[in-house]
Amino acid sequence: MRALLCQSLDGADSLAIAERPAPSPTAGQALVRVTLAALNFFDTLIVAGKYQVKPPLPFSPGGEGVGLIEALGEGVTGLAVGQRVVIHAGYGCCAERIAIDATKLTPVPDGVPDEQAAGLTITYGTTLHALANRAKLRAGEWLAVLGASGGVGLAAVELGALMGAKVIACASSEDKVAAARAHGAAEGLVYSPETLKDDLRRITGGAGVDVVYDAVGDAFAEPALRALAWRGRYLVIGFAAGAIPRLPLNLILLKELDVQGVHWGAFTERDPEGHRAGQKQLLAWVAEGKLSAKVHGVYPLDEYREAFGVLIRREAVGKVLLRV
């Protein structure tokens, strides 16, 4: 089978397409013919050895995707050969076939296209866990989303609006703000660290935001924290802007703020039933037309450099997919 392989931790330049032996499913596993693999920003980090997950070399990137079950290992129940499934792998989906624990597969309902299903599990799964389980977002609250046009950002905009929040989309250009507004944001702003706090306070009439969803970090973190209302919640999603910020504990004390880490991977391992319920809910919302699971672009596997470049340059508006 063909696979996109990372053979040294030198970033996207270390990737190459190669032939590999096709895997076979062992007990408890399924063999899936991958149709589409979804890329996330963390894929640019994992191939450079800068992510918390460090697979043994060589490995294939691509933490999620969609495909058809070709074979089932001993003991697998509830799935069938020929069934279309979402794949939650962590890595390994940028290959024609993957053998994976059956518990990491979710059947795709009729009416959900492959393009929407492929990139749903990580970004929307992370965001549903963040907003529903961690922040316990309530209808009518102000939700500020930093990096609102990327994969997790648009997921936060869509899910926040679906949950009844008043979403403020913060992005780096008017085009990106417009894309977020089209997906449910009530307000939008082109943000900078120097003006972010005042802009968020102005939009909320001086009250401050109730929840900050931060997948950006760096210099944007502290002004976003300072824009929180009394007992606001600050969701730590990731650090796409680079540096890991340091937050002022005195402000957290004075305003009784909650800074909440969101480690979705650990959540899926510690609460597999909650994870599966969330995946089914997300797919149902897509089938009902309540979530778009917007796709930035679908690239042939041979055009992986261009696909990774979109993520590295932070140009993605929605999901970046590879057709395997």
Side-chain angles (χ1 to χ4, degrees):
M1 68 173 189
R2 292 208 318 159
L4 180 62
L5 292 183
C6 176
Q7 304 189 72
S8 64
L9 299 178
D10 298 312
D13 290 340
S14 69
L15 299 174
I17 296 174
E19 290 288 335
R20 298 274 283 178
S24 297
T26 59
Q29 289 189 327
L31 178 67
V32 181
R33 172 64 174 93
V34 181
T35 306
L36 291 169
L39 298 179
N40 293 276
F41 183 78
F42 73 76
D43 284 297
T44 70
L45 302 177
I46 201 170
V47 299
K50 297 179 180 179
Y51 194 59
Q52 57 260 37
V53 176
K54 294 179 170 57
L57 294 170
F59 67 90
S60 178
E64 59 184 333
V66 66
L68 296 173
I69 296 176
E70 287 192 336
L72 296 173
E74 183 181 353
V76 175
T77 60
L79 296 171
V81 171
Q83 193 169 24
R84 196 162 55 109
V85 289
V86 165
I87 309 160
H88 167 221
Y91 63 91
C93 286
C94 293
E96 289 181 337
R97 288 172 177 81
I98 185 171
I100 188 169
D101 287 352
T103 57
K104 296 183 179 295
L105 302 175
T106 305
V108 180
D110 293 339
V112 178
D114 281 355
E115 287 77 7
Q116 287 183 294
L120 195 68
T121 183
I122 292 177
T123 53
Y124 284 84
T126 295
T127 302
L128 183 61
H129 172 54
L131 297 181
N133 300 334
R134 301 294 286 134
K136 294 179 170 54
L137 182 68
R138 297 182 290 270
E141 289 191 311
W142 285 105
L143 167 66
V145 179
L146 310 190
S149 69
V152 288
L154 272 184
V157 169
E158 284 198 87
L159 284 171
L162 182 57
M163 295 168 72
K166 296 175 288 188
V167 180
I168 307 169
C170 308
S172 59
S173 72
E174 292 289 357
D175 287 346
K176 291 181 177 181
V177 168
R181 283 185 180 274
H183 286 81
E187 301 284 347
L189 62 93
V190 177
Y191 63 166
S192 72
E194 295 75 22
T195 61
L196 180 58
K197 180 190 76 171
D198 291 338
D199 284 341
L200 291 176
R201 287 190 172 279
R202 171 182 53 78
I203 289 171
T204 59
V209 297
D210 300 291
V211 177
V212 168
Y213 181 100
D214 183 10
V216 178
D218 206 348
F220 296 93
E222 184 171 332
L225 182 82
R226 291 184 178 277
L228 279 169
W230 168 258
R231 289 185 176 173
R233 290 91 78 201
Y234 183 100
L235 295 167
V236 182
I237 310 296
F239 314 105
I244 297 175
R246 297 177 181 272
L247 299 177
L249 293 181
N250 60 321
L251 181 64
I252 295 167
L253 181 154
L254 292 172
K255 297 174 73 174
E256 290 198 357
L257 304 178
D258 288 332
V259 177
Q260 301 177 332
V262 180
H263 188 176
W264 180 72
F267 161 70
T268 66
E269 297 294 333
R270 291 172 179 267
D271 187 3
E273 289 300 323
H275 162 59
R276 280 192 285 273
Q279 294 290 290
K280 290 178 181 178
Q281 178 64 81
L282 292 169
L283 285 161
W285 279 333
V286 173
E288 294 164 8
K290 294 179 179 178
L291 288 181
S292 74
K294 178 175 172 57
V295 174
H296 176 89
V298 180
Y299 301 82
L301 186 63
D302 291 319
E303 295 179 14
Y304 67 88
R305 293 184 188 277
E306 183 176 350
F308 268 83
V310 168
L311 292 172
I312 292 168
R313 297 187 298 271
R314 297 178 63 188
E315 295 172 354
V317 179
K319 296 299 298 190
V320 175
L321 307 179
L322 285 176
R323 190 171 299 282
V324 181

